[in-house]
Amino acid sequence: MDINKLIALLPDMAAFVAVVETGSFTKAALKLGVTPSGVSRQVSRMETALSAVLIERTTRRQTTTLVGMAVYEQCRQMLDSAKEAVIASENNANEASGRLRIAAPDSLAREVLEPLLMEFMALYPAISLQVQVTDLRVDPAYQNLDLVFYVAEKPHEHLVCKTLGRVRSILCTSSQYLAEYGIPDSPGDLVDHLCLPLGLFDGDNIWSFTQGTHKVVVTVDGRYINNDAEMRLKGVKQGFGIAPFPDFVVRELLEKGEVVQVLADWQLNSDFQGGIHMQFPAMRFMPNKLRVFIDFMEKRWADSI
């Protein structure tokens, strides 16, 4: 293909990448700030230039063809290279500046990250932060993010990972509740207790425990089901039952005696436990704003140990 024709197709390639990654012309248009019909014309123009169908469209859905996926991979690499070219030129200024987009789980963001983010912004006034608080496993490669925090046993394999610490899930309740209902001696006793499952997904009320090689699975129930850690903690303090929490949420309350841990000799297995992972895409040229953020977080975590 003539180089001039190729250059003319570059914006269309970027639009095509957005369609594949967002899953629809409408979402791609919102991301790019144009109309869906405009995005559709760009993709059609690419298909005409390449003499290939890249996306099969029906009234109900769209599907990227095998040829389309191969073209997408090359277009994605092109956009990544263009991004690195911009980063390389910006880094010559040797100043950490610009907007940094990060995402983190709700409880971790509120209880642990928020004071660190405030401290970071005070140290680097030329950097602005855009923080997305979500318990969904977002991917910076597809969602316009520079860095994400995960809490999981295994991080995303396709991203660079810096593990900052670990989180353990524990069960807590109030002394008031234990005085009224008694202390559970084993996970099986929980079937006779009021519990506070998250209720976020089917099966959230099925709790799994391990003690060495011994594993116990129990189905729990209760009057108050809530997926927000702060609201669930208030319910525990009101004597509504026994609930799971990340250890960092209740650490100070346990020390003060405001809540009580139960079944401490058993490990509660949950999705929100494991390593605290800071992850970002691999790149040859890292923006200064991202580099100083990673260095700051690693140092502050090390200082707190």
Side-chain angles (χ1 to χ4, degrees), residues 101-116:
R101 297 174 175 86
I102 68 173
D106 192 352
S107 295
L108 184 71
R110 293 174 185 272
E111 301 291 335
V112 180
L113 290 178
E114 186 175 22
L116 297 180

Side-chain angles (χ1 to χ4, degrees), residues 1-304:
M1 180 181 289
D2 183 274
I3 187 65
N4 291 326
K5 292 181 180 179
L6 178 61
I7 292 173
L9 280 178
L10 293 180
D12 301 338
M13 291 179 178
F16 172 63
V17 167
V19 172
V20 174
E21 293 183 347
T22 61
S24 78
F25 286 89
T26 300
K27 291 179 181 178
L30 288 172
K31 181 177 181 180
L32 298 172
V34 296
T35 63
S37 59
V39 174
S40 181
R41 284 194 297 272
Q42 286 183 285
V43 174
S44 296
R45 196 158 49 227
M46 268 194 68
E47 291 178 321
T48 300
L50 299 178
S51 299
V53 177
L54 304 179
I55 296 178
E56 292 180 344
R57 308 161 178 83
T58 67
T59 55
R60 293 187 176 182
R61 66 175 185 173
Q62 62 185 50
T63 305
T64 306
T65 64
L66 289 176
V67 173
M69 287 306 301
V71 171
Y72 161 76
E73 293 295 339
Q74 298 302 317
C75 291
R76 178 73 261 177
Q77 291 179 26
M78 174 202 72
L79 290 180
D80 290 341
S81 296
K83 185 176 180 179
E84 289 192 350
V86 173
I87 291 170
S89 64
E90 289 177 344
N91 281 353
N92 286 332
N94 289 323
E95 180 185 2
S97 62
R99 175 166 295 181
L100 195 63
R101 297 174 175 86
I102 68 173
D106 192 352
S107 295
L108 184 71
R110 293 174 185 272
E111 301 291 335
V112 180
L113 290 178
E114 186 175 22
L116 297 180
L117 298 180
M118 298 298 102
E119 183 180 342
F120 176 81
M121 292 186 69
L123 286 173
Y124 296 95
I127 297 178
S128 61
L129 287 179
Q130 181 174 327
V131 184
Q132 181 180 341
V133 177
T134 175
D135 287 329
L136 299 176
R137 287 178 68 90
V138 293
D139 192 328
Y142 300 109
Q143 292 171 283
N144 196 28
L145 294 166
D146 299 296
L147 178 145
V148 294
F149 290 91
Y150 288 131
V151 175
E153 289 293 352
K154 293 183 179 180
H156 279 313
E157 293 183 356
H158 67 286
L159 299 173
V160 179
C161 179
K162 303 281 188 179
T163 301
L164 302 174
R166 290 194 64 80
V167 173
R168 182 169 177 259
S169 290
I170 61 177
L171 286 180
C172 293
T173 188
S174 66
S175 55
Q176 167 194 348
Y177 175 86
L178 294 179
E180 183 174 354
Y181 293 93
I183 302 173
D185 294 320
S186 67
D189 293 341
L190 293 176
V191 297
D192 298 320
H193 282 266
L194 295 172
C195 296
L196 286 74
L198 276 66
L200 193 59
F201 304 107
D202 290 339
D204 277 351
N205 65 324
I206 301 174
W207 293 356
S208 169
F209 297 84
T210 53
Q211 186 184 67
T213 58
H214 191 198
K215 182 176 180 180
V216 176
V217 177
V218 59
T219 300
V220 302
D221 199 4
R223 296 176 52 223
Y224 192 47
I225 300 171
N226 197 309
N227 71 312
D228 181 80
E230 187 174 340
M231 294 178 69
R232 198 163 61 253
L233 185 56
K234 291 179 180 178
V236 162
K237 290 181 177 180
Q238 291 293 319
F240 291 168
I242 301 170
F245 298 97
D247 53 8
F248 60 79
V249 171
V250 293
R251 186 177 293 120
E252 290 187 11
L253 297 176
L254 286 169
E255 293 173 355
K256 295 177 181 178
E258 295 184 31
V259 296
V260 181
Q261 184 177 357
V262 297
L263 300 177
D265 53 344
W266 287 84
Q267 173 60 55
L268 172 64
N269 305 308
S270 76
D271 293 333
F272 199 80
Q273 70 177 15
I276 301 174
H277 307 298
M278 185 169 58
Q279 294 200 257
F280 48 92
M283 58 192 79
R284 285 179 295 173
F285 300 101
M286 181 178 289
N288 287 330
K289 61 185 178 181
L290 181 58
R291 187 183 304 280
V292 297
F293 183 82
I294 292 170
D295 291 345
F296 170 84
M297 284 295 170
E298 286 190 301
K299 184 177 186 304
R300 289 294 282 109
W301 238 279
D303 289 346
S304 65

